[in-house]
Structure formats: structure tokens, C-alpha cells
Amino acid sequence: MLATSAPSRRAVVASPLVTALVLPGFVNVHSHTFQRALRGRAAGTDFWAWRETMLAEAERQTPELVRSSYERTYLEMRAAGFTAVGEFHYLGVPEALAAAEAAAAAGLQLVLLHVAYARGGLPRFRQESVESYLAEVEALRSQGLRVGLAPHSVRACPADWLEAIARYAEREDLPLHVHADEQPREIEECLAEHGSRPIELLARTGCLGERTTVIHATHADGAELDLLASSGAAVCACLTTEADLGDGFLPAERIRHRSIPLCIGSDSNVRIDPFEELRELEGIARRQTGRRGVFGTDDLLRFCSETGARALGLADWPEIRIDRDHSSLAGVAEEDILPALVSGCDGSVVLQ
Ligand SMILES: [Zn+2]
């Protein structure tokens, strides 16, 4: 079991200058921080054309570039209220160490989700064998990094890699994160190769469990969602990225109905705003059901704090202070503050 303890939900701190509402910090479960550089580029193309632009950006990354550009983006995350991040990292070990330095400089807790990549993508993403991938993970752990296992996807990892990584994650009690069901083409290819859908393959290879987080699950069918629910795995929704890439709609109500834990990630970082992610999530659920308040304010705030921390294996993470005197909250009654925060604010309400 991963730790579930959390800071107290709510407290009000008043000083002569400011009245602040103290909340658990927001947790950004899924980030590819170098992709922040892509915003505005490749607009008007489909996911696969965008991916080509992304690969070119990935190719030019160096430890020096990661160290400087990640710190800038991590500071933006910190300013928006994120106090911990899961960096889904496929750029190599020296760049992983640079990302850790950048996070420390920005005051952000980092869990380095080191990616296993057997095939496809760029040569720099790939390891020769699953043993060499696990040796990289060991090397990062020996440097003191907090790490998780991250087989990139069923596209990038064959079944025997998935099995070996699942065994290691279980033995070492580490988080396991994996992309699945983001695009219909990935499902068709998985069916052609394995005769099963991506989340079914993850179940068969031992990758689903309480320490597992499936990123996206946009096109998961009912049987796949049932597998997530019965295994205790979580889903990380990356709503603004999924909208930007035209991925589709998260099956929000079907996930809620099965009580599958949900958390959020800024993913490609086209936007860095936990409030906007939560509004997208609740907005999709409302449009799908024709009802309001599908998740409820406490649910939504939990998704971007306790559930996210659990997905990253974090027992504690810094709190944030919300500016009670911010213009977005002016005139709002005390009992309406939290709903108003989720429905009508952005990251600028977070005190620095
Ligand atoms: Zn991703």
C-alpha cells in the first residue's frame, strides 16, 4: 500500500496584511516538462503530426537545456499551486539528474518516473534490454532520486518488458505509471499484436495494481475500466493536453461510477493551472451526464492533492496558501469559498 496521509484540509491564517486559506498543495502527477516549448507549434495538425514536432524537440534536449528550461517551468508550476510533480521522463539519465536539480531549485518535490522504451520513438529514448533499463533505475535511486517505473506504453514496450517491470515495481514497492488508450490507433495496433486491448494487456502482464497509474484511459472500454476498478489502479487525466491534442473525452462518469481513483497532470504543459484541469474534468462529466456537481468540490480537490500524492507514493508534500482577498474571491461567503475556488479561479489566487 502506498501512503495516504495528508495535510489537514483547511485552515484560515490571518495576518495584518493578508488572509490566507491553507490547503494541501496540488500534485501534478504527469508532466513532460520539455514539451512546454511546443505550445503554439503544430496547431491545426493531428496527434501523430504533433508527435513528430514533439520528437524533434526531444531530440535537441541536453542536460544544460533541461536544467534551465525545467527550472523555469517548475517555477510556473509552483506559482500555480503545484508543490509536487511526477516527471514522466524519457530523455536519458544525465537529463534526469538535471531535472532533479531543476525541481530542487524551484522548490518542487519531484518523483522521476523513468521511462522504459524498447522500440519506436527516437534512438535516444531506448534501452537495449529491460535489464539495462532497470540498471538505469537503480543508478537513479543510488543518486538519491525518488523514482517510479514507467513503461512508456504498450506501443513502446513488449509483453516481456512489462512483466519484468511489474515484478520489479512490486518487489521494490514503487509506483508504476504507463500511458494507455490515449488514441484509437494505439488500441488497434495492440489488438493486432496481442489480441487484447492495452489495459487488458497491462492486466495480463501483472502491471495493474494499487501502485499503478494509467495515464489518459481516454478510449478505455467497459471491460478495461472494470479491470482498473478491480485492481485498485488509478487514472491520471490530463484534460487540457487531451483537449489540445484532440484525444477525446475522458469517460468521466464511468470512472466515477466504478470509484476508480482519479488524479490530474499537466502533461504537455500547454497550460499550467490545476483549477483549469479540474474545471475541464467536471465540465466533461456535466456534459456527459446532463447533471451539475458530478464530482463535488471535495472530490475535485482530493484528485489534485491526496490522490495525486498517493499515485506518486508521496506521504507528505508542501501546503499552499490561497489569497482570501483575491479579486476572484471578493464577496464570496465563507461557506462558498471552496466551490468558488474550483469553479471560478485560476492559479493567480495562490500566494507566493
Ligand atoms: Zn504523457
Side-chain angles (χ1 to χ4, degrees):
M1 282 289 289
L2 300 172
T4 55
S5 62
S8 60
R9 158 67 64 192
R10 186 180 183 190
V12 176
V13 177
S15 78
L17 296 176
V18 69
T19 309
L21 178 67
V22 180
L23 294 177
F26 298 141
V27 178
N28 185 1
V29 172
H30 188 75
S31 172
H32 307 283
T33 298
F34 78 91
Q35 293 179 12
R36 179 75 171 145
L38 295 173
R39 61 199 189 284
R41 276 195 237 165
T45 61
D46 70 5
F47 174 88
W48 300 101
W50 172 87
R51 185 169 175 272
E52 292 304 312
T53 312
M54 181 275 286
L55 293 176
E57 184 63 31
E59 185 71 310
R60 75 181 200 93
Q61 297 296 309
T62 62
E64 294 73 27
L65 181 56
V66 165
R67 175 65 184 79
S68 58
S69 67
Y70 278 38
E71 182 178 341
R72 277 198 305 278
T73 302
Y74 288 154
L75 284 168
E76 288 185 83
M77 290 182 194
R78 195 72 178 77
F82 288 120
T83 61
V85 63
E87 182 66 44
F88 199 100
H89 179 83
Y90 45 75
L91 300 175
V93 170
E95 288 80 4
L97 298 171
E101 282 183 23
L108 201 61
Q109 284 207 20
L110 178 98
V111 178
L112 198 289
L113 301 159
H114 191 54
V115 169
Y117 218 109
R119 58 192 184 183
L122 298 173
R124 72 173 293 172
F125 297 173
R126 298 180 211 139
Q127 297 89 9
E128 276 181 11
S129 65
V130 70
E131 289 76 22
S132 47
Y133 163 68
L134 293 173
E136 289 181 357
V137 171
E138 295 278 348
L140 292 170
R141 295 177 77 188
S142 73
Q143 296 277 320
L145 268 68
R146 193 192 297 268
V147 303
L149 286 298
H152 179 276
S153 56
V154 299
R155 269 191 291 122
C157 290
D160 59 330
W161 281 48
L162 295 171
E163 287 166 357
I165 293 167
R167 280 196 300 273
Y168 183 90
E170 174 153 15
R171 192 182 78 216
E172 301 295 323
D173 195 21
L174 290 171
L176 189 160
H177 289 217
V178 56
H179 294 114
D181 288 346
E182 181 177 10
Q183 287 278 327
R185 184 170 123 188
E186 168 203 339
I187 298 170
E188 291 157 19
E189 289 173 358
C190 190
L191 281 166
E193 182 179 359
H194 301 284
S196 56
R197 296 170 65 91
I199 291 173
E200 291 169 340
L201 179 63
L202 293 174
R204 214 168 69 209
T205 52
C207 283
L208 291 191
E210 289 188 344
R211 66 179 66 75
T212 306
T213 299
V214 168
I215 317 300
H216 302 303
T218 312
H219 299 281
D221 70 6
E224 289 180 291
L225 293 174
D226 287 344
L227 285 170
L228 294 177
S230 62
S231 67
V235 167
C236 178
C238 305
L239 294 308
T240 59
T241 295
E242 289 155 8
D244 183 61
L245 296 179
D247 287 342
F249 289 99
L250 183 81
E253 166 58 16
R254 293 191 293 151
I255 286 173
R256 191 205 62 79
H257 177 70
R258 290 170 172 81
S259 302
I260 297 168
L262 258 176
C263 45
I264 61 158
S266 64
D267 196 352
S268 69
N269 296 297
V270 66
R271 290 281 295 136
I272 298 175
D273 189 334
F275 301 101
E276 191 166 336
E277 300 295 337
L278 296 180
R279 272 195 297 280
E280 276 272 329
L281 172 57
E282 174 63 14
I284 287 171
R286 290 184 184 196
R287 292 182 179 104
Q288 285 174 337
T289 61
R291 288 189 285 115
R292 303 183 68 238
V294 175
F295 284 107
T297 300
D298 285 349
D299 291 333
L300 293 168
L301 289 172
R302 197 175 62 251
F303 297 161
C304 71
S305 54
E306 287 96 324
T307 318
R310 181 186 152 90
L312 293 178
L314 292 173
D316 49 67
W317 63 103
E319 295 174 332
I320 52 171
R321 297 184 309 136
I322 302 294
D323 180 1
R324 178 67 182 84
D325 301 324
H326 191 277
S327 58
S328 298
L329 294 170
V332 175
E334 193 58 36
E335 63 271 23
D336 297 332
I337 287 287
L338 291 180
L341 195 60
V342 172
S343 62
C345 291
D346 64 22
S348 67
V349 296
V350 179
L351 286 165
Q352 304 307 311

